[in-house]
């Protein structure tokens, strides 16, 4: 089996998950890490056994020993670095969102369609065993036609600050950071239907809530509680060409009694909750029945998810499998997200297609 030689652009927190999965994969050789902070790039490269470090990602992309790259930078450079990587002849795993805007995403898609490189978007939760088990039930028709889904990810105090809270860099707040995950899971399980309309709302009532110091939260390296230009809540009703609909809400900060996540799909023959734990509901012999699949974990596990994502990327790049999250899926999710923001700004439903 040919070794897949990898470089990683970006050396922040999400890069650590990619690098750990690469380092533990027997099919992979870690070649290089690039980061605008060369000292950090070298430290991370040494930590994970990569051969060298670069301050300029262009140097990494010019490295002939590298077959594929993970792009783990801020959102404002995802599309640009993915395009540069494809043009340099590399296979690409780019973190979500694939781009900040639909225009950026569609530019990347044109480049992808003109090449033979694999470009995969980092929808890591698709690769979780609980999701793949449920997808097998859906694909086998066990739930029948999926006509409704609910995607929710609500945090009480969860604005990470820093670049996450800077709209120019991130492109948006919880919708692009955490809402995208639950939206994508539902859309993926529904069979990736074409969106036809979106009605959305966004709210910026609570801000960063940096005054709350009694609850732990993830904070960006450049955290600054006074810096915040993103929404703290978004919700939407999304309608699809096949008549199905999806209800979404997500928040960094909400006066709720607890943090929560809910990913559910409902079909003619059965329904299922994927998160907070996989459970399936159906009807058998004129009785309502709940089914609890007996798998190692019925919820998302970070390390397992990234290990499976990296393996799928490697296998797809080497022609052994299809990518579970091809680039065009990332484009369509950005199309929905941008429509939510547009609908919220206009105060009316947005028609697509």
């Amino acid at each position: 089996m040919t070794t897949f030689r990898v470089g990683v652009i970006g050396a922040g927190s999400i890069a650590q998950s990619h690098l750990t999965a690469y380092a533990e994969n027997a099919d992979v050789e870690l070649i290089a890490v690039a980061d605008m902070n060369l000292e950090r790039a070298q430290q991370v490269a040494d930590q994970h056994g990569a051969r060298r470090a670069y301050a300029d990602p262009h140097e990494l992309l010019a490295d002939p020993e590298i077959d594929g790259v993970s792009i783990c930078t801020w959102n404002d450079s995802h599309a640009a670095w993915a395009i540069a990587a494809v043009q340099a002849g590399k296979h690409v795993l780019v973190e979500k969102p694939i781009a900040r805007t639909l225009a950026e995403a569609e530019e990347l898609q044109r480049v992808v369609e003109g090449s033979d490189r694999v470009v995969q978007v980092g929808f890591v939760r698709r690769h979780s065993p609980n999701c793949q088990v449920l997808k097998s039930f859906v694909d086998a028709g066990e739930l029948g036609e999926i006509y409704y889904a609910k995607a929710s990810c609500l945090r009480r105090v969860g604005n990470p600050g820093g670049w996450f809270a800077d709209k120019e860099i991130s492109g948006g707040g919880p919708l692009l950071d955490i809402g995208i995950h639950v939206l994508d899971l539902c859309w993926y399980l529904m069979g990736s239907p074409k969106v036809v309309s979106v009605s959305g709302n966004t709210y910026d009532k609570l801000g960063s809530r940096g005054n709350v110091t009694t609850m732990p939260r993830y904070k960006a390296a450049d955290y600054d509680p006074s810096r915040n230009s993103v929404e703290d809540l978004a919700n939407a009703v999304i309608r699809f060409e096949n008549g199905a609909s999806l209800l979404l809400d997500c928040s960094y900060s909400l006066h709720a009694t607890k943090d929560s996540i809910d990913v559910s799909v409902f079909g003619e023959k059965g329904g299922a909750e994927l998160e907070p734990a996989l459970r399936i509901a159906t009807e058998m012999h004129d009785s309502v029945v709940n089914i609890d699949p007996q798998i190692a974990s019925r919820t998302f596990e970070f390390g397992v998810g990234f290990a499976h994502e990296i393996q799928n990327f490697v296998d797809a790049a080497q022609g052994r499998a299809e990518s579970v999250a091809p680039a065009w899926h990332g484009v369509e999710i950005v199309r929905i997200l941008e429509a939510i923001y547009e609908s919220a700004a206009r105060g009316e439903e947005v028609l697509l297609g």
Side-chain angles (χ1 to χ4, degrees):
M1 183 179 295
T2 304
T3 300
F4 189 66
R5 301 169 301 178
V6 169
V8 174
I9 298 176
S13 59
I14 199 67
Q16 293 288 338
S17 296
H18 287 243
L19 286 158
T20 297
Y22 282 131
E24 294 175 353
N25 191 306
D27 298 337
V28 169
E29 182 180 2
L30 269 172
I31 302 297
V33 176
D35 191 88
M36 58 185 178
N37 182 331
L38 181 58
E39 182 180 353
R40 180 168 71 168
Q42 187 64 65
Q43 179 183 5
V44 170
D46 292 343
Q47 176 186 352
H48 294 281
R51 290 190 202 167
R52 43 191 173 268
Y54 296 108
D56 184 352
H58 289 104
E59 295 182 34
L60 183 149
L61 294 179
D63 191 329
E65 286 194 79
I66 293 175
D67 303 312
V69 298
S70 274
I71 297 171
C72 303
T73 57
W74 291 347
N75 294 354
D76 61 342
S77 60
H78 283 181
W81 284 123
I83 289 170
V86 172
Q87 292 173 338
K90 313 301 185 186
H91 299 286
V92 179
L93 172 56
V94 55
E95 262 302 328
K96 60 80 192 168
I98 200 169
R100 287 177 307 173
T101 67
L102 183 58
E104 291 176 351
E106 289 182 332
E107 180 184 2
L108 172 55
Q109 183 61 23
R110 285 190 290 271
V111 172
V112 172
E113 291 173 353
S115 84
D116 62 352
R117 300 293 88 180
V118 168
V119 177
Q120 180 168 313
V121 61
F123 290 137
V124 66
R125 286 177 173 266
R126 292 188 181 194
H127 300 268
S128 181
N130 67 330
C131 180
Q132 288 301 309
V133 167
L134 179 54
K135 189 69 162 64
S136 70
F137 275 69
V138 172
D139 289 349
E142 299 291 347
L143 274 59
E145 179 185 352
I146 305 297
Y147 59 86
Y148 179 50
K150 294 172 66 177
S152 179
C153 188
L154 303 174
R155 295 179 180 173
R156 292 188 289 171
V157 184
N159 188 324
W163 72 268
F164 288 94
D166 186 335
K167 189 173 182 179
E168 288 300 311
I169 299 173
S170 64
L175 185 59
L176 264 74
D177 181 27
I178 57 177
I180 188 173
H181 279 302
V182 292
L183 167 63
D184 174 68
L185 283 171
C186 285
W187 185 72
Y188 173 62
L189 291 166
M190 295 171 85
S192 309
K194 181 181 179 182
V195 61
V196 293
S197 71
V198 171
S199 181
N201 302 280
T202 60
Y203 300 91
D204 55 359
K205 303 290 188 180
L206 303 181
S208 69
R209 299 186 73 193
N211 61 297
V212 179
T213 59
T214 55
M215 291 182 64
R217 74 172 93 177
Y218 169 75
K219 293 181 180 180
D222 56 341
Y223 179 78
D224 178 353
S226 68
R227 176 183 169 196
N228 185 65
S229 58
V230 299
E231 81 280 0
D232 50 60
L233 171 73
N235 62 42
V237 176
I238 303 158
R239 295 181 175 87
F240 300 100
E241 190 175 52
N242 62 0
S245 60
L246 191 159
L247 187 62
L248 166 71
D249 64 353
C250 54
S251 182
Y252 273 158
S253 203
L254 190 68
H255 290 308
T257 59
K258 63 180 179 179
D259 292 351
S260 63
I261 183 170
D262 176 19
V263 177
S264 305
V265 293
F266 304 93
E268 295 173 311
K269 294 167 59 179
E273 295 176 355
L274 179 64
E275 297 290 352
L278 177 57
R279 299 191 76 188
I280 297 170
T282 188
E283 185 178 310
M284 300 176 67
H285 311 297
D286 299 323
S287 294
V288 174
V289 176
N290 288 344
I291 301 171
D292 294 339
Q294 300 302 291
I295 57 179
S297 177
R298 294 192 291 123
T299 190
F300 175 68
E301 292 188 354
F302 215 77
V304 174
F306 274 98
H308 289 185
E309 178 181 58
I310 293 303
Q311 188 64 62
N312 180 236
F313 173 53
V314 172
D315 288 342
Q318 296 195 323
R320 299 194 297 264
E322 293 292 322
S323 171
V324 169
W328 76 267
H329 282 197
V331 175
E332 291 307 304
I333 291 296
V334 170
R335 189 185 311 280
I336 295 172
L337 297 174
E338 188 166 287
I340 294 172
Y341 283 124
E342 181 183 352
S343 174
R346 288 167 44 182
E348 62 185 21
E349 185 177 47
V350 170
L351 302 180
L352 300 170

